Amino acid sequence: QKEVEQNSGPLSVPEGAIASLNCTYSDRGSQSFFWYRQYSGKSPELIMFIYSNGDKEDGRFTAQLNKASQYVSLLIRDSQPSDSATYLCAVEGNYGQNFVFGPGTRLSVLP
Amino acid sequence: SAVISQKPSRDICQRGTSLTIQCQVDSQVTMMFWYRQQPGQSLTLIATANQGSEATYESGFVIDKFPISRPNLTFSTLTVSNMSPEDSSIYLCSVEGTGGTYEQYFGPGTRLTVT
């Protein structure tokens, strides 16, 4: 059974700070890693995905992957109150047919 | 990414009845997925729906309780049968991206309350 773990939070950061969200996974064969943002009452929205070890940057967001440690993270630079949401890590390892979501981390950016 | 709609957006149903949720996509997609998100919880995959074949159900979900149809490449339905209050959840459909990168895009969800 694949497992994906995240700190449930809430993680509180001041506006303008860097928010760091972490995710670990159990299946060493996992290939693809995704970060979703979910506002209360809304459906998940894809932020970014990463496949290779290292960093991937997209605007204020940076995803980091370390397959040896089975660890993926999301950094949000210059955090804004509008970033306050639940962030879901998802892991896939079977050509798209085996998506597993973590429990999510609730982020609160304080003005 | 594809535009996905779901009907109904919400419903309140009595126990013992069934509800069919529709998912419509504005472009043809191979893979469609149905998820459940119980209150305060993360997403749990119910089944994968491929056009022209039987849906593939995850452990803990059975076809008699959650029958799925996939008549074409833009449409799918999920039925929640013989409902009980434990079925109160948000039900989401998603589709896979077309770039071969396996990301999924979600519809707006159906909020179901069973009384």
Side-chain angles (χ1 to χ4, degrees):
Chain A
Q1 179 75 14
K2 290 172 56 173
E3 293 185 356
V4 179
E5 302 286 343
Q6 296 179 253
N7 291 327
S8 61
L11 172 66
S12 295
V13 300
E15 184 175 356
I18 297 175
S20 178
L21 305 161
N22 304 318
C23 173
T24 59
Y25 58 96
S26 64
D27 185 355
R28 190 170 287 278
S30 299
Q31 298 293 319
S32 311
F33 307 87
F34 306 86
W35 282 100
Y36 286 83
R37 177 175 62 198
Q38 186 173 28
Y39 292 112
S40 180
K42 301 294 186 182
S43 62
E45 170 193 10
L46 180 69
I47 297 173
M48 61 190 307
F49 52 83
I50 186 168
Y51 303 108
S52 303
N53 279 327
D55 295 359
K56 179 181 179 183
E57 187 173 319
D58 184 359
R60 296 188 295 112
F61 299 98
T62 299
Q64 299 175 318
L65 175 61
N66 184 326
K67 288 187 177 180
S69 300
Q70 295 176 239
Y71 175 91
V72 59
S73 65
L74 179 71
L75 302 178
I76 306 175
R77 289 183 300 282
D78 189 24
S79 296
Q80 302 297 309
S82 59
D83 294 324
S84 298
T86 296
Y87 288 80
L88 300 163
C89 170
V91 175
E92 180 279 327
N94 188 22
Y95 302 101
Q97 299 203 48
N98 219 2
F99 241 65
V100 177
F101 279 86
T105 298
R106 191 153 55 92
L107 172 66
S108 178
V109 180
L110 306 174
Chain B
S1 61
V3 176
I4 306 166
S5 60
Q6 285 186 235
K7 289 181 182 179
S9 59
R10 59 177 63 224
D11 208 341
I12 301 173
C13 301
Q14 292 189 337
R15 70 171 67 212
T17 63
S18 298
L19 176 72
T20 295
I21 302 167
Q22 299 178 6
C23 180
Q24 179 76 53
V25 190
D26 70 342
S27 58
Q28 294 185 337
V29 294
T30 302
M31 307 279 283
M32 294 182 77
F33 307 87
W34 287 98
Y35 287 84
R36 180 174 73 183
Q37 188 171 29
Q38 294 179 305
Q41 304 295 314
S42 187
L43 283 75
T44 301
L45 181 62
I46 297 172
T48 301
N50 292 333
Q51 194 268 338
S53 63
E54 293 289 325
T56 303
Y57 289 83
E58 296 300 303
S59 176
F61 297 95
V62 295
I63 187 171
D64 289 347
K65 176 67 176 178
F66 297 102
I68 288 171
S69 77
R70 181 79 200 274
N72 57 52
L73 292 173
T74 64
F75 187 79
S76 179
T77 67
L78 169 76
T79 299
V80 186
S81 303
N82 188 24
M83 289 184 285
S84 67
E86 291 71 35
D87 294 318
S88 297
S89 285
I90 298 172
Y91 292 85
L92 296 138
C93 71
S94 71
V95 303
E96 191 175 275
T98 57
T101 46
Y102 307 123
E103 74 278 16
Q104 292 183 19
Y105 299 94
F106 286 85
T110 295
R111 183 180 294 271
L112 170 62
T113 302
V114 183
T115 60

